[in-house]
Amino acid sequence: MDHENSSDLVIVGASGFGKEVAWLSRRLGLNVKGFLDDGIEPGSIVFNYPVLGRILDWPEYSFCKFVIAIASPRVRKIVVEKMSQVRSPDFATLVDPAAILEDDSLDIGPGTIVCAGTICTADIVIGSHCIVNKACSIGHDVKIGEFVTISPKVMLGGSVLIEHGVEIGAMTAVQQGVKVSQGAMIGMGSVIRKNLPANTLVVGNPPKTLRKLKEF
Ligand SMILES: CC(C)(COP(=O)(O)OP(=O)(O)OC[C@H]1O[C@@H](n2cnc3c(N)ncnc32)[C@H](O)[C@@H]1OP(=O)(O)O)[C@@H](O)C(=O)NCCC(=O)NCCS
C-alpha cells in the first residue's frame, strides 16, 4: 500500500484519554491516522484527527500499529479480546519522551502507554496494555500485571505488586512491599499501607471498602 508507513498509528478510543494519547504520539513523531470508536460517528473530527470507523473495522488499518486509549481495565481487556478474534493486531508500546526510565532496567509489554513526567527506576516490570499516566513515581522492583491503569501522580513504593486489571485513582500512594490483588480499584487520593483483596473498590486514608466489583 502506498500510504504504508512504519510509524502509522491508530488509537482505539476517542475520549479525553484518546486525545492525550494522540498528543503523546505526536510528541513521539508518530503518524496518527485517526481513531476507532464504537460510540462516535465515523468521519467526526476529534483533536484534529478523524474517527475512521468502528473498533471491528481495524483490519482495514492492519498496516498500522494500534493502542487502546480506554481508561477502564475491564473495558480495555474486552476491546483487546474483541480485536484479537479477527487476528492479532500489532500493538504499539508508547513511552513519552519526558518519562524518565532506562530500557535496560525495565520490561514493558505491548500496548502499554507511559505518559510524560513518570519516573521508573530499577528492575521494574510493566505488563501489556497498561496505562501509567502523567507524573507517576514507580519505585524499584515494582511488578505491574496486564491491563492495569495508574492515574496521574500515583506513587508506588519499592517492590509493590499490582496484579492484573487493577485501577488506581490519581494522587494515591502505595507503601513499599504492598500487594494489590487482581481487579481491585483504589479511589483518588488514597493511602494504601496493607495488601488489598481482589475485585474490591476502596477509598481513603485509612482505606474503606465501598463495594465488591465484577471479577476481572
Ligand atoms: C472511588 C470512586 C470510583 C467512587 O466513585 P463512586 O462509586 O461514584 O462513589 P461516590 O461518589 O458515590 O461516593 C461514595 C462514597 O465514597 C466517598 N468517596 C468517593 N471517592 C472518594 C475518595 N477518592 N476518597 C475518599 N472518599 C471518597 C464519597 O464521599 C461517598 O461517601 P459517603 O457515602 O460517606 O457520602 C471515585 O470517587 C474515584 O476516586 N475515582 C477515581 C478518579 C480518578 O482518579 N480519575 C483519574 C482521572 S485521570
Side-chain angles (χ1 to χ4, degrees):
M1 260 175 272
D2 56 358
H3 53 291
E4 190 169 335
N5 179 330
S6 64
S7 67
D8 287 340
L9 181 78
V10 170
I11 299 169
V12 180
S15 63
F17 189 61
K19 291 182 189 178
E20 294 199 342
V21 173
W23 177 85
L24 189 170
S25 304
R26 218 153 61 188
R27 285 161 57 72
L28 287 169
L30 300 176
N31 178 30
V32 178
K33 288 289 198 188
F35 296 98
L36 297 177
D37 195 303
D38 286 352
I40 301 181
E41 198 54 39
S44 307
I45 301 295
V46 174
F47 192 51
N48 289 329
Y49 298 102
V51 176
L52 302 166
R54 307 291 182 205
I55 294 170
L56 283 181
D57 294 333
W58 79 262
E60 289 176 36
Y61 299 91
S62 51
F63 58 91
C64 298
K65 291 195 170 190
F66 294 84
V67 72
I68 316 290
I70 297 173
S72 161
R74 285 169 174 78
V75 176
R76 203 154 69 244
K77 185 171 177 226
I78 289 167
V79 167
V80 168
E81 286 169 354
K82 195 168 151 181
M83 291 174 76
S84 304
Q85 275 170 9
V86 188
R87 64 179 181 276
S88 197
D90 187 4
F91 287 109
T93 301
L94 304 183
V95 177
D96 192 283
I100 301 178
L101 48 84
E102 284 174 5
D103 286 347
D104 60 0
S105 66
L106 186 72
D107 182 356
I108 306 187
T112 284
I113 302 164
V114 180
C115 299
T118 282
I119 302 178
C120 300
T121 61
D123 286 338
I124 291 165
V125 178
I126 305 179
S128 52
H129 302 290
C130 291
I131 296 168
V132 185
N133 213 310
K134 298 177 292 291
C136 294
S137 170
I138 313 293
H140 65 87
D141 299 293
V142 165
K143 305 283 176 272
I144 298 175
E146 300 177 350
F147 298 102
V148 167
T149 298
I150 300 183
S151 301
K153 294 206 168 181
V154 165
M155 191 288 294
L156 302 183
S159 302
V160 159
L161 173 60
I162 307 291
E163 292 192 337
H164 302 323
V166 165
E167 184 168 0
I168 305 183
M171 310 279 287
T172 288
V174 183
Q175 182 169 306
Q176 69 273 10
V178 162
K179 171 177 159 184
V180 182
S181 294
Q182 182 153 325
M185 181 174 183
I186 303 170
M188 191 167 65
S190 301
V191 176
I192 308 299
R193 299 181 54 240
K194 294 185 181 150
N195 295 350
L196 289 186
N199 304 308
T200 304
L201 170 59
V202 304
V203 287
N205 177 20
K208 64 173 183 181
T209 299
L210 279 192
R211 57 181 176 270
K212 284 299 280 180
L213 300 172
K214 203 172 76 181
E215 206 152 299
F216 181 80

Coordinates of all heavy atoms in Angstrom, one line a residue, residues 133 151-152 168-170 185-190 201-204 208 210-211, ligand 1:
N133 N -0.2 6.8 33.8 CA -0.5 8.2 33.4 C 0.6 9.2 33.8 O 1.6 8.8 34.3 CB -1.9 8.6 33.9 CG -2.6 9.5 33.0 OD1 -2.1 10.5 32.6 ND2 -3.8 9.2 32.6
S151 N -3.4 6.2 37.5 CA -3.8 7.6 37.2 C -2.7 8.6 37.5 O -1.7 8.2 38.2 CB -5.1 8.0 38.0 OG -6.1 7.1 37.6
P152 N -2.8 9.9 37.2 CA -1.7 10.8 37.4 C -1.3 10.9 38.9 O -2.1 10.8 39.8 CB -2.3 12.1 36.9 CG -3.3 11.7 35.9 CD -3.9 10.5 36.4
I168 N -5.9 2.4 39.7 CA -5.5 3.2 40.9 C -5.8 4.7 40.6 O -5.3 5.2 39.6 CB -4.0 3.0 41.2 CG1 -3.7 1.5 41.3 CG2 -3.6 3.8 42.4 CD1 -2.2 1.2 41.7
G169 N -6.6 5.3 41.4 CA -7.0 6.7 41.2 C -5.8 7.7 41.5 O -4.8 7.4 42.1
A170 N -6.0 8.9 40.9 CA -5.0 9.9 41.0 C -4.5 10.2 42.4 O -5.3 10.1 43.4 CB -5.5 11.2 40.4
M185 N -9.9 -1.8 42.7 CA -9.8 -0.4 42.3 C -9.6 0.5 43.6 O -10.2 0.2 44.6 CB -11.1 0.0 41.6 CG -11.1 1.5 41.2 SD -12.6 1.8 40.2 CE -12.3 3.5 39.7
I186 N -8.8 1.5 43.4 CA -8.5 2.4 44.5 C -8.9 3.8 44.2 O -8.5 4.3 43.1 CB -6.9 2.4 44.8 CG1 -6.5 0.9 45.1 CG2 -6.6 3.3 46.0 CD1 -5.0 0.8 45.2
G187 N -9.7 4.5 45.0 CA -10.2 5.8 44.7 C -9.1 6.9 44.8 O -8.1 6.6 45.5
M188 N -9.3 8.0 44.2 CA -8.4 9.1 44.2 C -7.9 9.5 45.6 O -8.7 9.6 46.5 CB -9.1 10.3 43.5 CG -8.3 11.5 43.2 SD -9.3 12.5 42.1 CE -10.6 13.1 43.1
G189 N -6.6 9.8 45.7 CA -6.1 10.3 47.0 C -6.0 9.3 48.1 O -5.9 9.8 49.3
S190 N -6.0 8.1 47.8 CA -5.9 7.1 48.9 C -4.5 6.8 49.4 O -3.6 7.1 48.6 CB -6.6 5.7 48.5 OG -7.9 6.0 48.1
L201 N -13.5 -2.3 45.6 CA -13.3 -0.8 45.5 C -13.0 -0.2 46.8 O -13.9 -0.3 47.7 CB -14.5 -0.1 44.8 CG -14.5 1.4 44.8 CD1 -13.3 2.0 44.1 CD2 -15.8 1.9 44.1
V202 N -11.9 0.4 47.0 CA -11.5 1.0 48.3 C -11.2 2.5 48.1 O -10.7 2.9 47.0 CB -10.4 0.3 49.1 CG1 -10.7 -1.2 49.3 CG2 -9.1 0.5 48.3
V203 N -11.4 3.3 49.1 CA -11.0 4.7 49.0 C -10.6 5.2 50.4 O -11.1 4.8 51.4 CB -12.2 5.7 48.6 CG1 -12.5 5.5 47.1 CG2 -13.4 5.5 49.4
G204 N -9.7 6.2 50.4 CA -9.4 7.0 51.6 C -8.1 6.6 52.3 O -7.3 5.8 51.9
K208 N -11.4 2.6 53.1 CA -12.6 1.8 53.5 C -13.1 1.2 52.2 O -12.9 1.7 51.1 CB -13.6 2.7 54.2 CG -14.2 3.8 53.3 CD -15.3 4.6 53.9 CE -15.9 5.6 52.9 NZ -17.0 6.4 53.3
L210 N -15.8 0.4 49.6 CA -17.0 0.9 49.1 C -17.9 -0.2 48.6 O -19.1 -0.2 48.8 CB -16.8 1.9 48.0 CG -16.4 3.3 48.3 CD1 -16.5 4.2 47.1 CD2 -17.3 3.9 49.4
R211 N -17.4 -1.1 47.8 CA -18.2 -2.2 47.3 C -17.3 -3.3 46.6 O -16.1 -3.0 46.3 CB -19.3 -1.8 46.3 CG -18.7 -1.0 45.1 CD -19.9 -0.5 44.2 NE -19.3 0.3 43.1 CZ -19.2 1.6 43.1 NH1 -19.6 2.3 44.2 NH2 -18.7 2.3 42.1
Ligands
LIG1 C1 -13.7 5.9 44.2 C2 -14.6 6.4 43.1 C3 -14.5 5.4 41.9 C4 -16.0 6.3 43.7 O1 -16.9 6.7 42.8 P1 -18.5 6.4 43.1 O2 -18.7 5.0 43.2 O3 -19.3 7.3 42.2 O4 -18.7 6.9 44.6 P2 -19.5 8.2 45.2 O5 -19.0 9.4 44.6 O6 -20.9 7.8 45.1 O7 -19.0 8.2 46.7 C5 -19.3 7.1 47.6 C6 -18.7 7.4 49.0 O8 -17.3 7.3 48.9 C7 -16.7 8.6 49.2 N1 -15.6 8.8 48.3 C8 -15.6 8.7 46.9 N2 -14.4 8.9 46.4 C9 -13.6 9.1 47.5 C10 -12.2 9.4 47.5 N3 -11.4 9.4 46.4 N4 -11.6 9.5 48.8 C11 -12.4 9.4 49.9 N5 -13.8 9.2 49.8 C12 -14.3 9.0 48.6 C13 -17.8 9.6 49.0 O9 -17.6 10.8 49.8 C14 -19.0 8.9 49.5 O10 -19.0 8.8 50.8 P3 -20.4 8.8 51.7 O11 -21.1 7.5 51.2 O12 -19.9 8.7 53.1 O13 -21.1 10.0 51.3 C15 -14.3 7.8 42.7 O14 -14.6 8.7 43.6 C16 -12.8 8.0 42.3 O15 -12.0 8.3 43.2 N6 -12.4 7.8 41.0 C17 -11.1 7.9 40.5 C18 -10.9 9.3 39.9 C19 -9.5 9.4 39.3 O16 -8.5 9.3 39.9 N7 -9.6 9.7 38.0 C20 -8.4 9.7 37.2 C21 -8.5 10.8 36.1 S1 -7.2 10.8 35.0

